[in-house]
């Protein structure tokens, strides 16, 4: 497309062209990792040889808008200019000005990244919500042949694409299905749960790509733990500024994820609340008054905290809350060694000096900005509850332990050492944290300081300060809002929390513990209450008041031991696997022996959940808890390794798990605290002392402390988080398979494969995002009809509740049906929809795994007689209704002269079953029942009788190309054949109709564009048959309004369900030779014709024997015309018939007056029929009567078709379900998307 000064071009290789030049250009783009835009506009004056690229576009519509803007705003202006130089300068200045204005509101993504993101969504058919993070040039080896291409990493997928001379290679891997991630040099190795292996070689940025894959995999698994039904990662953008430095040219989402990773590390190290997002970091030195020197490190800023961390590990760190900073000032002492200094003044009159700060002015400005935005949390007004209670102080004050003089002396010495430390290093949140404090904690914290130190190093103090009054509110709400099951479970565990301490035999201790646990269950419903929480909370209450104990419990569950106390204690099981690998690494001989005995996982769960409190006396476990609040889970691992190492020789001599458990139990019972030598109760035998707790902790840190860092623990957790979740799936599947082993269709291997493919299909991002969107719009699980049957449908699942996670909705079932069964060749009727409705006994829009086995198993089996019966049933009403038959038969009007057709209400049902299912009363439709569908179908039938035909008007100027310019990579974009300008400019033509139709589809409305009207304002009472016309009933959404306005409640609403239920015996009891065939009604001729069409499509082609069988069945139907006529369908409306049973023997309810809408449509249909029959003959009425009287029985059908060899052979063949599932998985990995 050209003008005098501009040319619009499309890049070669983009689109449908397959010329050699296009193949070569595409290959070069893939190999060189270039991302040129597919469309561009160039500016050139006639006498110049220089071209200027003034616009690029990712889509044709986008570039056409730019071209139209040029035509409207520049073409005329440029023609009036005299010199070409003036034209070029004006054009460039105008474009630069527009670019500057538009970039104010646009994202800062580069043009190359936008092109890559567009290609990602196009190549892999990803939804728009699946955002691309970054791309990397890499090589993927396939069949020993290297393929150079690009690695696309999005929030939920790793995708690879390569294009080599017309041959495409695609691979799609979900992060949630990764089982192993490794990096060796420049190679990233991936292994999935399906045992698929991938090696990607990256020449650059391999470290960044590997870290990104690890981070996104962690996020995917955590999302799977949080919400198994919605395993799709979504990212909330966070701001990450670097104090005025030049912004990174990396993609915005990658920067956000980097900020997210740094924020997580920042919070974990300084024990800050989960809401803190790092704002930036900067190099600086801090003056340490205790050592009289500067220590180098980094300053970290977030909204509520100013932190410092030394470059040398654990040499010095500092946390200063923003609320404590009174002022910040610059210190200028001249050109001496320590310049660029600032001084922070705190509310405690403590001064902190920092020096050698890069960009000091910006840092001071940023701190001042954060201080101006900070608001001191205040206690909000809360509703008053009629509850009398008082906050319990530390129980150690009320229930004092009788300590000897020696013990008191030890406590006093510890207190003196801590007071001395406070004088040198400071006290409170802003104290210097050094290796000296670690040594003091290992020696033990005095009882009087335990509450203060625990709150400080756990980070609980920050949560408490930011939420004043929250605990009191939670306590009173929990007492008023009864949660019987949770509260009963808490009450059962209260008296066995710490039975050896007298405080928990008293009402004060029990009441405080109850309030703490109930309040936390209300604060965190995802965790609620889990056993072991009562044990650790009871120890907290001994040394802290109950509010502080509550915040310590919150810090424990949410930060220090994440996911430990959730369902299945998944966090503890992950750390069990971490401990198992650590034992294998450092004690390999012992690990081999214990692994044979199978006791490592048995012994470690209680150690982890209760921090050794349940296996060691609480007086000794206190020292472990002291270290735990400073060092986190590391202390648990080093203590466990030390215990196993000290007992290694004894354990190696054990011959069974019971003997090994006894050895460890005796050893742990003997661990004692010499500072708390309390007399043993008279009724208990004196324990044999094995090791003082101080020695155990010291040796554990000495032997394993330097080998196990927090970074290594996190790496192992990431690894075993994947394996643990995978093991959950394996255990779940094994349980389900074991329960369904005796099914008659699939063996164990096939059941495992079926469960796997169901899990993968349900995790597809497209399906999950659709479900999220449906929920966001207020939708619920689709319900077809209210079910009153109480059959065997829930029996299997009630005995195997784990299989609930493998229930499927209609979309997933349809995918399985078309991919796995031989009936996918049937295109005339959507058998998947019919079978789903037949199988969905509870009418919930989902079917359970046992029902999937029976439905798919029967279709894939050799039971040819039962399969023929099932096919017959699927073509009976209400599964195949009269209205649907009329619709499929109705020919479409075609307009040959126009390039496109307008969207018509009559053409809403397409030939594609995936489209027609949307309008049927299917399980995916919440609003339609059988009556509604009949009304909609009647409307469509009225359109047909009235002879409605929507004519599309396409008006566009088809111009010729004045000239074309060819280049190696770009060609001029032509105008003809639906040129983009005409498409974009069309206001009333076919293309506009398409746009409107697409919009309506997105809104869930399907209307004819030229009959768009609103019937909702007319009122049902105003619409009389004489007033009805084609425009009045032109769209489904309006008919829905009319139905809602005029419907009267039907008294026979259960007739459909009862009748449909009588057909389900074949799914439930396929081996019942005496099945109730007599309850299956005869079939009308119209239904039979569709049945035979489906039969031919399934078999493949119709031979002579099949034609004869068809003629025989037609003759049998004619012979049955003299017999009693059966009902048209199971779902007839009671329009004045007598109180007689239906064809299934089910009693019908007394007749009722037909509703107004039904009468209206009947009258109008009669009128149209009369008008259409003018000039006809009377034979049509007679033929109609004959057709209505024609019928055959199921026995006649089965007996006739069983005599046809080709039908029997076709239905006898068993479908290799394993091969089909493996092919389906392979297609998913290769991004082969099938539209059903």
């Amino acid at each position: 497309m050209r003008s005098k000064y501009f040319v619009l071009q499309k890049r070669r290789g983009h689109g449908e062209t397959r010329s050699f030049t296009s193949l070569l250009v595409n290959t070069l783009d893939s190999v060189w990792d270039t991302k040129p835009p597919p469309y561009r506009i160039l500016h050139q004056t006639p006498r110049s040889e220089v071209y200027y690229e003034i616009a690029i576009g990712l889509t044709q519509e986008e570039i056409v808008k730019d071209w139209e803007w040029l035509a409207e705003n520049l073409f005329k202006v440029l023609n009036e200019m005299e010199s070409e130089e003036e034209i070029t300068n004006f054009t460039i200045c105008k474009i630069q000005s527009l670019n500057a204005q538009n970039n104010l509101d646009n994202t800062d993504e580069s043009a190359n990244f936008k092109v890559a993101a567009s290609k990602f969504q196009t190549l892999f058919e990803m939804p728009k919500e699946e955002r691309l993070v970054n791309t990397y040039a890499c090589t993927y080896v396939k069949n020993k042949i290297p393929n150079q291409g690009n690695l696309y990493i999005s929030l939920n997928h790793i995708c690879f694409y390569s294009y080599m001379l017309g041959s495409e290679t695609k691979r799609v891997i979900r992060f949630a299905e990764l089982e192993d991630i490794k990096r060796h040099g420049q190679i990233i190795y991936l292994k999935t749960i399906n045992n698929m292996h991938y090696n990607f070689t990256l020449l650059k940025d391999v470290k960044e790509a590997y870290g990104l894959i690890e981070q996104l995999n962690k996020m995917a698994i955590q999302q799977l733990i949080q919400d198994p039904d919605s395993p799709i990662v979504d990212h909330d953008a966070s701001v990450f500024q670097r104090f005025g430095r030049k912004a990174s040219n990396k993609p915005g989402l990658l920067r956000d994820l980097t900020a997210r990773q740094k924020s997580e590390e920042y919070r974990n190290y300084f024990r800050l609340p989960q809401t803190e997002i790092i704002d930036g970091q900067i190099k600086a030195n801090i003056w340490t008054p205790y050592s009289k020197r500067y220590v180098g490190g980094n300053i970290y800023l977030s909204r509520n905290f100013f932190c410092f961390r030394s470059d040398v590990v654990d040499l010095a760190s500092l946390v200063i809350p923003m609320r404590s900073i009174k002022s910040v000032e610059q210190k200028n002492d001249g050109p001496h060694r320590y310049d660029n200094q600032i001084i922070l003044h705190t509310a405690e009159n403590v001064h902190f000096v920092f020096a050698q700060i890069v960009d000091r002015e910006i840092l001071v400005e940023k701190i001042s900005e954060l201080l101006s935005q900070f608001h001191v949390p205040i206690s909000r007004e809360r509703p008053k509850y009629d509850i009398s209670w008082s906050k319990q102080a530390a129980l150690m004050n009320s229930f004092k332990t009788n300590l000897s003089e020696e013990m008191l002396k030890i406590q006093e010495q510890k207190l003196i050492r801590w007071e001395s430390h406070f004088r040198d290093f400071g006290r409170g949140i802003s104290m210097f944290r050094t290796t000296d404090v670690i040594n003091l904690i290992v020696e033990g914290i005095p009882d009087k300081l335990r509450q203060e130190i625990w709150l400080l190093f756990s980070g609980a103090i920050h949560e408490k300060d930011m939420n004043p009054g929250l605990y009191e509110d939670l306590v009173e709400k929990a007492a008023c809002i009864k949660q019987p099951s949770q509260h009963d479970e808490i009450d059962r565990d209260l008296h066995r929390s710490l039975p050896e301490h007298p405080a928990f035999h008293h009402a004060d201790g029990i009441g405080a513990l109850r309030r703490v646990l109930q309040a936390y269950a209300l604060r965190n419903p995802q965790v609620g209450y889990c056993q072991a929480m009562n044990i650790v909370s009871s120890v907290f209450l001994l040394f802290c008041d109950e509010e502080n104990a509550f915040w310590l419990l919150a810090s424990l569950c949410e930060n220090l031991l994440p996911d430990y106390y959730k369902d299945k204690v998944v966090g503890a099981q992950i750390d069990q696997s971490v401990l198992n690998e650590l034992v294998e690494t450092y004690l390999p001989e012992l690990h081999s022996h214990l692994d044979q005995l199978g006791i490592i996982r048995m012994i470690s769960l209680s150690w982890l959940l209760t921090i050794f409190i349940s296996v060691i006396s609480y007086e000794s476990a206190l020292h472990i808890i002291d270290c735990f609040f400073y060092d986190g889970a590391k202390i648990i691992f080093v203590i466990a390794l030390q215990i196993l190492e000290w007992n290694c020789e004894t354990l190696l001599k054990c011959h069974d798990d019971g003997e090994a458990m006894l050895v460890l139990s005796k050893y742990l019972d003997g661990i004692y605290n010499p500072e708390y030598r309390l007399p043993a109760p008279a009724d208990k035998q004196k324990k044999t002392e094995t090791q003082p707790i101080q020695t155990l902790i010291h040796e554990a840190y000495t032997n394993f402390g330097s080998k196990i860092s927090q970074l290594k623990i996190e790496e192992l957790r990431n690894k075993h988080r994947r394996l643990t979740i995978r093991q959950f799936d394996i255990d779940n599947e094994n349980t389900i398979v074991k329960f369904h082993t005796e099914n008659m269709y699939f063996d164990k291997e096939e059941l495992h494969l079926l469960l796997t493919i169901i899990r993968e299909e349900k995790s597809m991002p497209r399906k999950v995002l659709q479900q999220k969107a449906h929920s966001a719009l207020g939708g619920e699980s689709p319900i077809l009809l209210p079910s009153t049957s109480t059959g065997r449908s829930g029996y299997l699942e009630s005995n195997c509740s784990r299989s609930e996670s493998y229930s499927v909705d209609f979309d997933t079932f349809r995918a399985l049906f078309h991919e796995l069964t031989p009936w996918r060749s049937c295109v005339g009727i959507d058998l998947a929809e019919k079978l789903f409705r037949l199988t969905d006994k509870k009418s919930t829009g989902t079917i359970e795994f046992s029902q999937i086995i029976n439905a798919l198993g029967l279709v894939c089996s050799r039971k040819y007689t039962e399969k023929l019966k099932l096919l017959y049933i699927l073509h009976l009403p209400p599964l195949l209704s009269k209205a649907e038959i009329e619709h499929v038969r109705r020919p479409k009007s075609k307009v040959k002269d126009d390039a496109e057709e307008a969207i018509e209400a009559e053409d809403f049902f397409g030939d594609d079953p995936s489209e027609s299912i949307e309008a049927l009363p299917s399980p995916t439709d919440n609003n339609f029942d059988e009556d509604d569908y009949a009304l909609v179908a009647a409307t469509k039938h009225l359109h047909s009788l009235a002879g409605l035909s929507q004519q599309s008007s396409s008006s566009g100027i088809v111009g010729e190309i004045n000239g074309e310019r060819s280049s190696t990579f770009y060609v001029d974009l032509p105008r003809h054949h639906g040129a983009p300008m005409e498409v974009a400019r069309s206001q009333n033509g076919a293309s506009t109709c398409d746009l409107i139709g697409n919009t309506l589809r997105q809104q869930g409305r399907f209307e004819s564009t030229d009959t768009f009207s609103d019937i909702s304002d007319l009122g049902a009472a105003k619409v009389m048959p004489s007033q009805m016309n084609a425009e009045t009933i032109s769209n489904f959404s309006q008919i829905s309004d009319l139905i809602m306005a005029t419907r009267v409640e039907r008294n026979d609403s259960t007739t459909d369900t009862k009748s449909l239920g009588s057909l389900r015996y074949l799914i439930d009891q396929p081996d019942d030779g005496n099945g109730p065939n007599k309850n299956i009604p005869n079939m009308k001729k119209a239904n039979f014709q569709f049945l035979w069409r489906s039969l031919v499509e399934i078999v493949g082609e119709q031979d002579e024997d099949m034609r004869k069988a068809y003629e025989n069945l037609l003759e049998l139907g004619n012979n049955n015309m003299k017999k009693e006529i059966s009902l048209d369908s199971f779902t007839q409306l009671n329009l004045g018939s007598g109180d007689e049973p239906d064809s299934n023997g089910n009693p019908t309810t007394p007749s009722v007056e037909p509703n107004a809408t039904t009468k209206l449509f009947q009258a109008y249909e009669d009128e149209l029929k009369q008008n259409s029959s003018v000039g006809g003959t009377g034979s049509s009425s007679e033929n109609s009567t004959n057709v209505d009287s024609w019928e055959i029985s199921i026995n006649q059908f089965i007996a006739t078709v069983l005599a046809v060899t080709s039908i029997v052979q076709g239905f006898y063949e068993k479908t290799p379900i394993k091969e089909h599932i493996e092919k389906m998985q392979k297609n998913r990995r290769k991004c082969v998307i099938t539209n059903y």
Side-chain angles (χ1 to χ4, degrees), residues 284-289 293-297 299 306 308 318 320 327-333 336 338-346 350-357 360 363 430 432:
N285 296 337
I286 187 172
W287 174 257
T288 54
R293 62 188 179 92
Y294 281 91
V295 174
I299 294 173
F306 177 105
F308 177 86
L318 184 68
I320 307 175
S327 64
V328 55
E329 63 182 42
Q330 301 182 23
K331 182 180 180 182
N332 298 311
D333 290 338
H336 55 79
Y338 299 109
D339 52 359
N340 282 349
Q341 296 182 349
I342 65 170
I343 301 178
L344 261 65
H345 301 274
T346 67
V350 179
H351 310 298
F352 297 95
V353 180
F354 297 89
Q356 291 189 341
I357 304 171
R360 179 178 61 168
L363 174 60
S430 301
F432 283 95

Side-chain angles (χ1 to χ4, degrees), residues 83 112 141 399 475 546 558 744-745 757 787 812 827 913 1065 1076:
S83 67
N112 283 344
V141 179
F399 302 88
V475 168
E546 64 178 272
E558 297 164 15
M744 62 189 72
Y745 300 118
I757 196 64
S787 176
T812 305
V827 296
Y1065 83 94

